[in-house]
Amino acid sequence: MLWPEAGTDVFEAGRLPVPEPLAEVAAYYWWVAWRRGDQTPFRQEVLSHPVTHLTIEAAEGGVLHGLPVPAALVHGLVTRVFTVDLPVAGRVAGVAFHPGGLAALLGRSVGDLTDTVVPAEEVLGGGVGPLAERVLAEDDDAARRDAVVAFLGEVLAPRLEEVRADTGYRTVREAVTLMRAREHVALGQVAERLHVSERTLQRLFVRYVGASPLWVLRRHRLQDAVAALDTGEGQDLAALAASLGFADHAHLTRAFTQVIGVPPSHYRAGR
């Protein structure tokens, strides 16, 4: 079954690990499946992580992201809130790459993929054509995961040693690990820990991630801000701004509003 049967609202989601050696470039397999009981489309909004995805998507009505589905698609890094108008029912199975993982796998920059969703053939070649049919024919997500892993494993095999020897990719991975830690609020701190210059990080992140290292750092701090507000920690917005490395409350408000669409005070109030 491609998506849940008609009835009440259903939204299913989950993750599964990916095996070695694919774990060199891919973080995990994930899926979502949904159906609206009242037969109305709806809008989903997510403050996404700075990574790329290979997805296999199907939906009632045959269109997602303005592209025909079922299809295998590649999602580049999203610099804004990821917004998608979902039809009544559908299913998405995907692999999230490590930051820089897709660039390492392909041996090229992924900067051209930022803020885009494109047919996977444009990125991974013609061999990806049958993948959507193969994945969606499976009955459970473990089997779907295995089908995606098998395909990506074939892509990775001839480049595996190059990926393992790619020092630029390793530097990006290590930098992002540091950026995820809330105590790192300035790019200089990250560069110092890695014994590289900020200019080197800039060059590597543009190639491997598709955004500047400062943007990635700020995205993680904005995610921390959202998480703090969701759990009721952000009553003192000035203190929250300081803890996240923003110069003051106004700088946090400006950055938060630019990405989320409302000031943190409105978000906290549920508006």
Side-chain angles (χ1 to χ4, degrees):
M1 183 185 302
L2 288 184
W3 43 74
E5 294 180 347
T8 58
D9 284 2
V10 176
F11 188 89
E12 304 168 353
R15 288 185 183 186
L16 290 170
V18 296
E20 294 289 354
L22 187 61
E24 295 276 353
V25 296
Y28 54 85
Y29 167 88
W30 58 272
W31 76 89
V32 295
W34 70 91
R35 176 176 286 280
R36 293 277 285 180
D38 60 6
Q39 298 296 294
T40 58
F42 63 107
R43 174 164 288 184
Q44 183 78 16
E45 296 181 317
V46 179
L47 185 61
S48 58
H49 290 281
V51 297
T52 54
H53 301 261
L54 168 65
T55 62
I56 292 84
E57 311 195 24
E60 283 193 3
V63 176
L64 272 174
H65 318 290
L67 297 170
V69 294
L73 306 173
V74 169
H75 292 246
L77 174 145
V78 181
T79 60
R80 55 197 181 276
V81 171
F82 176 69
T83 302
V84 57
D85 292 314
L86 295 175
V88 171
R91 174 179 294 278
V92 180
V95 164
F97 292 96
H98 292 301
L102 181 59
L105 175 67
L106 299 176
R108 73 165 181 88
S109 171
V110 295
D112 60 313
L113 298 176
T114 298
D115 287 324
T116 68
V117 182
V118 299
E121 290 92 337
E122 296 182 12
V123 179
L124 295 165
V128 75
L131 181 62
E133 182 178 351
R134 191 183 322 148
V135 170
L136 294 171
E138 298 292 351
D139 293 330
D140 63 80
D141 276 288
R144 295 185 184 107
R145 184 269 312 272
D146 292 345
V148 179
V149 166
F151 169 77
L152 287 175
E154 293 178 0
V155 177
L156 175 62
R159 285 194 47 79
L160 181 57
E161 294 310 312
E162 292 177 71
V163 168
R164 287 174 170 167
D166 190 336
T167 57
Y169 173 45
R170 296 300 161 193
T171 299
V172 167
R173 290 279 304 276
E174 291 169 6
V176 172
T177 297
L178 292 173
M179 290 174 178
R180 285 175 176 154
R182 188 164 170 174
E183 64 266 23
H184 292 103
V185 297
L187 185 59
Q189 295 174 323
V190 176
E192 184 177 356
R193 285 283 302 273
L194 296 175
H195 307 290
V196 298
S197 68
E198 293 183 32
R199 180 172 294 183
T200 294
L201 287 181
Q202 174 74 22
R203 174 178 56 81
L204 292 175
F205 270 70
V206 168
R207 172 181 170 81
Y208 286 89
V209 180
S212 74
L214 182 58
W215 181 92
V216 175
L217 179 62
R218 282 295 171 86
R219 171 52 62 95
H220 284 297
R221 296 297 75 81
L222 282 176
Q223 288 176 323
D224 289 337
V226 169
L229 294 171
D230 284 343
T231 58
E233 296 177 30
Q235 297 306 309
D236 185 341
L237 290 175
L240 178 63
S243 73
L244 297 175
F246 292 91
D248 52 32
H249 177 191
H251 281 79
L252 170 62
T253 295
R254 185 160 54 249
F256 193 99
T257 304
Q258 184 179 22
V259 176
I260 307 300
V262 296
S265 58
H266 287 202
Y267 182 91
R268 182 180 59 194
R271 307 207 299 270

